[in-house]
Amino acid sequence: MREAIENALRHLWQRKFESRNVEISEEALEELEREGFIRKKNGDYEFTAEGLEMARKLIRLHRLAERLLHDFFETSEMEAERSACKFEHIISDEVEEAICTLLGHPSRCPHGNLIPEGKCCRVKEEEVKRIVYKLSELKPGDEGIIKYLAGDEDVMRKAIALGILPGKKVKVIRTFPAIVIKLGNSNIALDENIASQIYLIKSGNAER
């Protein structure tokens, strides 16, 4: 029952803040109201402070789990979604921060939806050794394999037009005055905005 209630809370977030057409039963809404997560106002439901925080946390956990499963276990989007529905109910705060740090504090899930920030994102904790970095964080000589792209449609379109796609190997040539990478046989100059939306697994430093 608890899992069903938490799912309803997450779905209500999606409906209210992302305009998703998600069905939520009246029974689930009544239970959320009884538990103090939502209240009825002007014929509609709104979050209480406690409910808003809980819903935000569930969304964050779900999308971090999707990112982990999709990127590192090469799980299909459908399977990642299904498994994430289980993960979000059992991940502790410590594990949440460890996963987020490991992934390089991603801003979006595999479907392109925003991942709410956690405490570790704001303070940039790195107790767990990171394996995912933004391209903008790399230094000349660093190499890596692109895992995913984030950002809005304009950024994605520009990156894809340049051939910057998941699975491609890149090497940083220089970072000033512009970020220049080697992709295949081509050298490509990128601005900071695009480079900061390209996430990759760092494969080590080449000779400088």
Side-chain angles (χ1 to χ4, degrees):
M1 183 61 177
R2 169 54 54 182
E3 186 174 316
I5 293 302
E6 290 181 350
N7 285 338
L9 199 58
R10 176 167 55 82
H11 290 159
L12 186 59
W13 168 287
Q14 293 173 314
R15 195 161 77 178
K16 283 190 167 294
F17 299 121
E18 299 176 344
S19 301
R20 300 274 292 278
N21 185 22
V22 185
E23 290 188 12
I24 309 172
S25 69
E26 279 301 318
E27 181 184 4
L29 289 170
E30 289 170 2
E31 183 63 26
L32 290 175
E33 187 175 22
R34 279 194 295 273
E35 297 209 12
F37 292 131
I38 61 175
R39 54 174 168 258
K40 209 163 192 176
K41 184 177 181 181
N42 300 326
D44 195 10
Y45 288 100
E46 65 175 23
F47 286 107
T48 62
E50 181 183 3
L52 185 63
E53 181 59 29
M54 177 63 77
R56 183 181 180 281
K57 184 176 182 63
L58 289 167
I59 286 286
R60 173 171 162 75
L61 290 172
H62 183 92
R63 291 176 179 172
L64 282 175
E66 283 185 301
R67 191 86 265 175
L68 178 69
L69 291 165
H70 181 268
D71 295 338
F72 294 96
F73 296 102
E74 299 183 353
T75 307
S76 68
E77 287 191 7
M78 183 178 294
E79 182 56 38
E81 167 72 22
R82 184 161 49 242
S83 297
C85 286
K86 300 294 183 183
F87 269 51
E88 70 190 63
H89 304 293
I90 60 174
I91 297 175
S92 68
D93 291 345
E94 291 78 9
V95 173
E96 169 204 330
E97 293 192 357
I99 291 173
C100 188
T101 301
L102 183 71
L103 296 176
H105 308 287
S107 60
R108 293 181 183 270
C109 77
H111 305 96
N113 298 312
L114 287 172
I115 300 175
E117 274 193 343
K119 177 184 175 183
C120 63
C121 303
R122 293 188 288 272
V123 300
K124 298 298 182 185
E125 289 182 358
E126 296 192 10
E127 285 85 355
V128 175
K129 185 179 179 181
R130 290 173 61 184
I131 58 173
V132 177
Y133 291 81
K134 295 178 182 179
L135 178 58
S136 58
E137 295 177 303
L138 270 57
K139 299 175 181 178
D142 287 346
E143 298 179 331
I145 304 295
I146 298 171
K147 290 305 295 185
Y148 63 91
L149 310 176
D152 58 27
E153 289 184 9
D154 187 50
V155 170
M156 298 280 280
R157 194 162 44 244
K158 288 178 180 177
I160 291 171
L162 292 169
I164 298 172
L165 300 167
K168 294 286 187 178
K169 182 177 181 179
V170 300
K171 178 179 179 179
V172 177
I173 304 301
R174 67 170 185 264
T175 57
F176 184 83
I179 296 172
V180 177
I181 62 171
K182 183 176 180 62
L183 178 65
N185 296 319
S186 302
N187 286 354
I188 301 172
L190 302 171
D191 62 33
E192 178 76 17
N193 184 41
I194 293 179
S196 66
Q197 304 300 328
I198 300 169
Y199 288 76
L200 45 77
I201 292 181
K202 190 175 175 183
S203 56
N205 296 332
E207 290 184 10
R208 306 272 169 101

